[in-house]
Amino acid sequence: MSKEISKHNIAIGVLYIAFMAYALICSIVFQRNIVFWVEICFSLIAFLLSGVAMTSAEDQKLVFNLPLYCLASVYLVLQILASLFFMGLQGSCEPWCYAINVSLLAVYLCALLATRATLSHIVQVDKSAEQQTSFVNALMLELETMRDRTEGERKKKIEEVIDVARYSNLRSCDASQEIEEVILETAKNLSAVIQDEPNSSITDMTNRISEQLKRRDRICKK
């Protein structure tokens, strides 16, 4: 955590020094008219947005799996080039100066909002998929744990149930919640029998789980 804070502070410090040097050089080289101050203001906005991007989480990915600061860096470079160009023209293209600066800022903000909205949607889809597959994952974990604790005929019976569970419908549905609770309860009872009654038969219980899984598949297909 401290290393990340240190890197962020260094990045912000570099951007601050870069902006101050940029503003100083421009004030010496170019005439300080209305276009000059407009370009300095838009450049300051670009530097500030780059600073915000630098302090964001490094695992936030945007288009083409690139981090946020790459998008901000592209905007910053384009803004600096545009600012230098219009300051060099000494105000002869003042309307174009405003239009292009606003356009660059608008494109960056639109790209940022669009990609973040897409990321939010992807996260929601992933969470929904995880919730819908939680039953099968929990059941497989329970069965595999039981298989590792058994041997011989019992292990074969557990493996048969695992095969049925592996090829059953991965996604749950609203109508299958009741049968899923029954299956998990049966699996827990089977685990208790394996632990407490090492010599008893588990055939009836494994067959029951297999039949319940097949019934669940029929329910989910409706």
Side-chain angles (χ1 to χ4, degrees):
M1 185 68 180
S2 59
K3 289 183 178 180
E4 290 183 3
I5 294 175
S6 177
K7 288 196 297 185
H8 294 160
N9 291 339
I10 292 173
I12 292 174
V14 169
L15 286 173
Y16 175 78
I17 294 171
F19 174 75
M20 295 302 294
Y22 165 79
L24 178 62
I25 293 172
C26 289
S27 65
I28 295 173
V29 175
F30 301 110
Q31 181 181 352
R32 281 174 280 182
N33 51 22
I34 183 65
V35 172
F36 171 84
W37 293 113
V38 168
E39 295 300 337
I40 287 295
C41 289
F42 275 101
S43 297
L44 176 60
I45 292 172
F47 274 96
L48 290 174
L49 290 175
S50 296
V52 172
M54 291 292 184
T55 57
S56 66
E58 294 184 356
D59 59 349
Q60 287 186 350
K61 304 295 183 181
L62 298 177
V63 286
F64 305 118
N65 204 36
L66 295 175
L68 175 59
Y69 60 80
C70 287
L71 182 62
S73 298
V74 171
Y75 166 61
L76 176 60
V77 170
L78 291 176
Q79 180 59 57
I80 290 174
L81 292 176
S83 296
L84 292 174
F85 175 75
F86 287 114
M87 283 189 285
L89 293 178
Q90 300 297 326
S92 59
C93 294
E94 191 171 328
W96 284 103
C97 156
Y98 303 142
I100 290 179
N101 282 308
V102 172
S103 297
L104 285 173
L105 179 58
V107 169
Y108 171 76
L109 293 177
C110 288
L112 180 62
L113 293 174
T115 49
R116 285 202 162 175
T118 302
L119 278 177
S120 177
H121 176 69
I122 291 173
V123 169
Q124 290 177 355
V125 170
D126 289 343
K127 286 183 178 179
S128 176
E130 184 178 351
Q131 290 174 352
Q132 290 177 340
T133 58
S134 61
F135 162 73
V136 172
N137 293 334
L139 180 62
M140 287 295 293
L141 180 61
E142 187 76 27
L143 292 172
E144 288 172 353
T145 302
M146 285 189 278
R147 179 190 59 188
D148 296 338
R149 287 162 39 201
T150 57
E151 56 184 15
E153 189 65 26
R154 280 187 164 191
K155 189 168 187 174
K156 291 181 182 179
K157 292 296 181 182
I158 298 296
E159 287 175 345
E160 290 175 2
V161 181
I162 289 176
D163 289 337
V164 176
R166 182 178 290 118
Y167 296 107
S168 64
N169 197 322
L170 287 175
R171 294 183 178 273
S172 301
C173 60
D174 293 338
S176 66
Q177 289 183 359
E178 184 177 350
I179 187 65
E180 288 172 358
E181 292 176 1
V182 174
I183 294 171
L184 289 175
E185 185 64 27
T186 307
K188 289 179 181 179
N189 293 336
L190 176 59
S191 178
V193 169
I194 290 174
Q195 183 176 354
D196 300 334
E197 303 176 24
N199 297 321
S200 62
S201 174
I202 62 171
T203 303
D204 290 341
M205 299 188 75
T206 54
N207 289 342
R208 194 186 314 158
I209 294 175
S210 297
E211 290 301 321
Q212 289 169 342
L213 284 169
K214 293 174 183 177
R215 181 185 168 193
R216 171 184 172 272
D217 286 345
R218 291 192 295 268
I219 292 173
C220 290
K221 288 178 181 178
K222 292 181 180 179

